[in-house]
Amino acid sequence: MTTTGEDHHTGAGAGERAGPWWWERWRGALFDGGLALVSAVECAVEGVEFARDAALPEAVGVVFGATAGSVLLVRRMWPVAVVLVFIAVAPAQMGYLMGLVGLYTLAASEAPRRIIGALSGMAFAGVFIVWFVQATQSDLRGDGAVGGGEAFAPFLALTMAIGLTAPPVLLGLYVGARRRLMESLRERADSLERELQLLAERAEERAEWARGEERTRIAREMHDVVAHRVSLMVVHAAALQAVARKDPEKAVRNAALVGDMGRQALTELREMLGVLRSGEGFSSMARVEPVSVPVPLAAVGAAAAAAASRAEDELGEGPCLAELEVLVGQSAAAGMVVELSVEGEVRVYAAEVEQTAYRVVQEALTNVHKHAAGAKTHVRLAHRAAEIAMQVENGPPPEPGAAGAARLPSGGNGLLGMKERVAELGGVFVSGPTEAGGFRVSAVIPAA
């Protein structure tokens, strides 16, 4: 079967055929049936004159013409056959409607161009010869309406041949090309739609990954900010309970420290929760439903980065290495025997480097309070040419039960949070027990 342009305009595929036989739609079947009926009537009328010229009964000419004209019914299935029938009946001067429609259907079909060109040329030659013979045999020179003498016959034949073949062929070629272009555009649109859907799914996955990363970062930040101060509060509260009756003055100092640390922890927690509540980054990502439109990867990364840095921007500069002495002093005030040593030339680093270094020392001291209360601790900070190194090492607790005296809970996220922070900056983090029974936390962070 040769598909024509009109078949595709209906918009139905082979699996959706609703018409009879080879028609895609009943509308197409009715249209072709009407054309075939008109063509059959035309050829039947013209067959009467053909029968008289050929000395045949008129009924034969009518039947012959009606049969030839009805071939137009299969123009969608066999357009080549329709054109061949037109060429065959052209000498009888019948089937002009069949020729016009057949040539158009052939030119608009998927037939090879060489076949279209060959049959169009044959139809042109047939019409030219028939009209040239008829013009030369007719006595037109005495008519007076048309002049030209001997040149009139070729002119008339050429005009009729061009008029009956060129317009339907050109129109069919245009419709066929336009239909193929529309099919190509539809296929490209479908392909783009599939690609956009795939991109949307990937963007949704990346957005979900970004939301998870942001939740992890905020949980780590809240743990670092709150856990240390709360741990010190618990240690001071335990010491306060122990010395409340023996040393009232020390109890008063411990109570004041507990109050100050509690207020600081509440202030920092309130500020951070305020950022999370009012921020446009993480809050919007956490509330918005999964996207159904494509989101560029750069936009997802930018949203995650903005959400990750908004809390630090709104809370200020954040902790820095200059505050390490205060941090160590707070631990010392809580009863820890701790020393701080600094090596190398002190200098200023990027904010994220100083914050990470501070948080590593802070979390390591918090772990000492939790798991080795009373143990001697040494904090070392080394400023090197291209990196900064820190180490927090504690010995074993002086008493077997001292580690759990304050009953500090442990979530198990401290070491993981430190490792993630250092790894994000391209550094190295190592932690583990020492041979003496203590624990050591070491980290090296590039200075750039």
Side-chain angles (χ1 to χ4, degrees):
M1 175 178 177
T2 304
T3 306
T4 65
E6 297 178 9
D7 295 325
H8 294 267
H9 293 327
T10 60
E16 303 175 358
R17 178 175 290 116
W21 297 323
W22 55 83
W23 286 282
E24 302 288 347
R25 292 288 186 269
W26 275 98
R27 182 178 58 185
L30 295 176
F31 180 75
D32 287 354
L35 286 177
L37 180 60
V38 174
S39 177
V41 173
E42 176 205 359
C43 292
V45 174
E46 294 169 343
V48 175
E49 186 66 24
F50 168 72
R52 292 173 182 174
D53 295 340
L56 296 173
E58 293 184 358
V60 175
V62 171
V63 173
F64 175 74
T67 304
S70 62
V71 175
L72 200 58
L73 189 67
V74 297
R75 69 181 186 93
R76 297 177 190 263
M77 177 72 80
W78 296 297
V80 174
V82 175
V83 176
L84 290 175
V85 171
F86 166 70
I87 296 173
V89 300
Q93 290 187 321
M94 65 173 61
Y96 294 111
L97 176 61
M98 178 175 56
L100 292 173
V101 177
L103 288 173
Y104 162 79
T105 306
L106 177 65
S109 69
E110 302 291 341
R113 291 296 178 88
R114 62 179 183 275
I115 296 179
I116 297 175
L119 292 178
S120 299
M122 293 171 61
F124 177 88
V127 174
F128 179 85
I129 294 173
V130 169
W131 279 91
F132 180 79
V133 172
Q134 292 294 330
T136 54
Q137 290 179 353
S138 300
D139 187 12
L140 300 178
R141 287 176 294 180
D143 192 349
V146 180
E150 296 180 355
F152 175 73
F155 172 78
L156 179 61
L158 182 62
T159 301
M160 293 303 297
I162 293 176
L164 292 175
T165 57
V169 171
L170 294 178
L171 180 61
L173 291 175
Y174 166 76
V175 171
R178 183 176 179 276
R179 183 253 307 162
R180 285 186 287 272
L181 175 62
M182 295 302 295
E183 286 182 348
S184 175
L185 292 178
R186 278 195 295 269
E187 292 177 357
R188 184 175 300 178
D190 293 340
S191 176
L192 289 176
E193 184 178 359
R194 290 191 296 269
E195 291 180 3
L196 289 177
Q197 184 177 2
L198 180 60
L199 289 176
E201 293 175 356
R202 292 181 178 177
E204 181 179 345
E205 294 176 358
R206 293 189 179 100
E208 182 62 29
W209 173 83
R211 287 192 291 267
E213 289 292 316
E214 181 61 11
R215 284 192 293 267
T216 302
R217 190 199 70 82
I218 291 177
R220 184 171 62 238
E221 188 70 20
M222 294 182 67
H223 176 273
D224 293 341
V225 169
V226 178
H228 178 72
R229 297 192 186 280
V230 174
S231 299
L232 291 180
M233 290 170 58
V234 175
V235 172
H236 280 293
L240 176 63
Q241 183 180 5
V243 302
R245 296 181 179 180
K246 298 179 181 180
D247 193 347
E249 293 183 359
K250 186 174 182 181
V252 171
R253 290 196 299 271
N254 287 342
L257 287 174
V258 170
D260 291 340
M261 291 180 182
R263 283 188 291 272
Q264 293 175 2
L266 286 175
T267 300
E268 293 180 354
L269 181 60
R270 186 181 299 110
E271 290 175 349
M272 181 168 292
L273 293 178
V275 171
L276 295 180
R277 183 178 296 275
S278 61
E280 299 176 358
F282 173 75
S283 59
S284 62
M285 287 196 299
R287 291 195 302 265
V288 172
E289 295 297 328
V291 295
S292 60
V293 295
V295 180
L297 179 59
V300 175
S309 62
R310 185 169 287 109
E312 295 176 356
D313 293 341
E314 297 192 14
L315 290 176
E317 294 294 332
C320 58
L321 292 177
E323 302 176 12
L324 274 183
E325 294 185 3
V326 177
L327 179 66
V328 173
Q330 291 176 350
S331 295
M336 179 187 294
V337 181
V338 57
E339 297 180 357
L340 173 64
S341 61
V342 181
E343 302 175 2
E345 183 180 356
V346 179
R347 62 183 188 275
V348 179
Y349 300 91
E352 59 270 16
V353 174
E354 295 207 7
Q355 292 170 12
T356 301
Y358 180 92
R359 295 301 188 194
V360 168
V361 176
Q362 182 186 56
E363 181 61 29
L365 293 178
T366 302
N367 287 340
V368 176
H369 284 294
K370 290 181 179 180
H371 307 292
K376 185 176 182 180
T377 306
H378 200 149
V379 180
R380 300 180 178 88
L381 184 66
H383 298 273
R384 301 172 183 170
E387 60 189 16
I388 178 173
M390 64 226 67
Q391 183 183 87
V392 180
E393 181 177 354
N394 64 274
E399 300 178 4
R407 301 177 184 177
L408 291 171
S410 176
N413 297 319
L415 295 177
L416 179 61
M418 287 188 286
K419 185 176 182 180
E420 289 176 351
R421 281 182 175 274
V422 174
E424 287 178 359
L425 298 179
V428 178
F429 177 84
V430 178
S431 62
T434 61
E435 296 180 356
F439 199 82
R440 181 186 298 117
V441 173
S442 303
V444 180
I445 305 175

